[in-house]
Amino acid sequence: MTRDLFAPVVPDKQAHHLFQQVRAGAAHTAARRLMNEVFTDFHDVDKSFVREFQSAGFSARVFELALFAYLREQGLSPDRSHAAPDFVIRGENPVAIEVTTTNPAQGREPDDLEFSPLRPEEIYDADQAFVFQLGKALRRKLTHRDAAGCAYWEKSHIRDVPFVIAVGAFHNQNAQMHVMSSVSEYLYGQRDVLSHDDSGKLTIATHGIEMHESGGKAIPSGLFRLPEAANLAGVLFSNAHTMAMFNRIGTELGYGSEDVALCRIGTAYDPDPNASMPQNFGYVVGDRPPGQQENFAEGLYLFLNPWANQKLSPQALPGIPFVDLLDDGRLMTMSPGGFHPFTSKTLTIEGSRANAYQMARYQQLKYLGQLPNADQE
């Protein structure tokens, strides 16, 4: 029997504004149906998921539900018989996953309803502020102890199981525009500087990072190297597992309204071995052919901790790129192939079927610079 995540269980004054937005209207029909389908098989061990989903925990619970969908999509059967960690995978390549998010300052909410792109001169400061939010979210889980004084990795049901923290970016309106390189720099304490030699071949120089600074404060870089992270086998990062992902995948499944069109634009991995910048992409949701349609693995990146007490096999979380440190000190990113977005934004257009689709196509071509010059103005 399908359980309805959108049947109100909290008073309207306590309901999160994004929950209220998603539960009403045709624009999110696809997301509602797909979320309810996924939740049907989701074991709510502490009976708090729906209440948190409808109130202050909306974004975190959406992220958790999307991770559950990813695990099931990969043929994994997460054990949710204990309240923590959130997911435990048994078998040949076990892993325990605790889910968290970067969050806005106490008492504030990101302006999710209106997106204002960062200006080029704002990007560096925004990335450093993001690193602080990332560090806060990860350390909050690393220092957490339950009523018995146990850390997550000390719980009897996951002893000797590699422990991973999955973190989603939700701290402000630009949170989903931060890319994996900022995460990598903070976790490993090093930055790759890209350049091209005289023949046009890409060269990579590695520079160490001691500290990250933002707002007059500083935190040490290289979290994986620090003693506090000795029991952290890896970090699973996403800036994509949002309500919009459910809406896009649901639309590709045919769950959406005919009078709603979605256009997805963003940046993605460029397979050119000499590329130093990502490539832009844009498509109208529903146009990708079967076999290339979006799945819940898209947008996930796994960072392995080479100094962890319990090493994690990348096969434990299949179908996604992973980052590891080579013996020579270089970082290696291994990809399973296919399409790997770094950042994306979904534009929702409502109207008659033909008009909505036409406008979505216009937005796609405009972003890619493929309109006639007169129409680019």
Side-chain angles (χ1 to χ4, degrees), residues 144-202:
H144 172 80
R145 300 295 183 269
D146 64 15
C150 292
Y152 289 104
W153 54 87
E154 293 173 332
K155 296 179 183 294
S156 60
H157 65 287
I158 63 160
R159 290 222 176 110
D160 300 324
V161 174
F163 174 68
V164 166
I165 299 176
V167 58
F170 292 96
H171 55 282
N172 63 27
Q173 63 176 355
N174 292 296
Q176 282 82 51
M177 304 310 289
H178 296 291
V179 295
M180 58 177 288
S181 59
S182 297
V183 182
S184 177
E185 291 173 5
Y186 172 63
L187 295 177
Y188 296 100
Q190 60 187 60
R191 176 180 296 120
D192 288 340
V193 178
L194 309 181
S195 60
H196 292 91
D197 62 20
D198 293 340
S199 66
K201 182 180 180 180
L202 181 69

Side-chain angles (χ1 to χ4, degrees), residues 302-336:
L302 176 63
F303 300 85
L304 301 175
N305 183 357
W307 300 282
N309 293 335
Q310 291 283 342
K311 300 295 191 298
L312 174 69
S313 167
Q315 282 74 42
L317 296 169
I320 62 176
F322 69 90
V323 180
D324 201 0
L325 190 67
L326 300 177
D327 292 339
D328 62 7
R330 292 182 299 122
L331 287 174
M332 172 191 69
T333 301
M334 293 294 294
S335 170

Side-chain angles (χ1 to χ4, degrees), residues 123-133 178 185 191 211-214:
I123 293 176
Y124 177 79
D125 288 343
D127 283 344
Q128 293 306 300
F130 163 62
V131 167
F132 269 66
Q133 294 296 332
H178 296 291
E185 291 173 5
R191 176 180 296 120
M211 306 291 290
H212 295 274
E213 299 181 1
S214 178

Side-chain angles (χ1 to χ4, degrees), residues 89-95:
I89 304 298
R90 308 290 182 182
E92 184 178 354
N93 297 301
V95 60

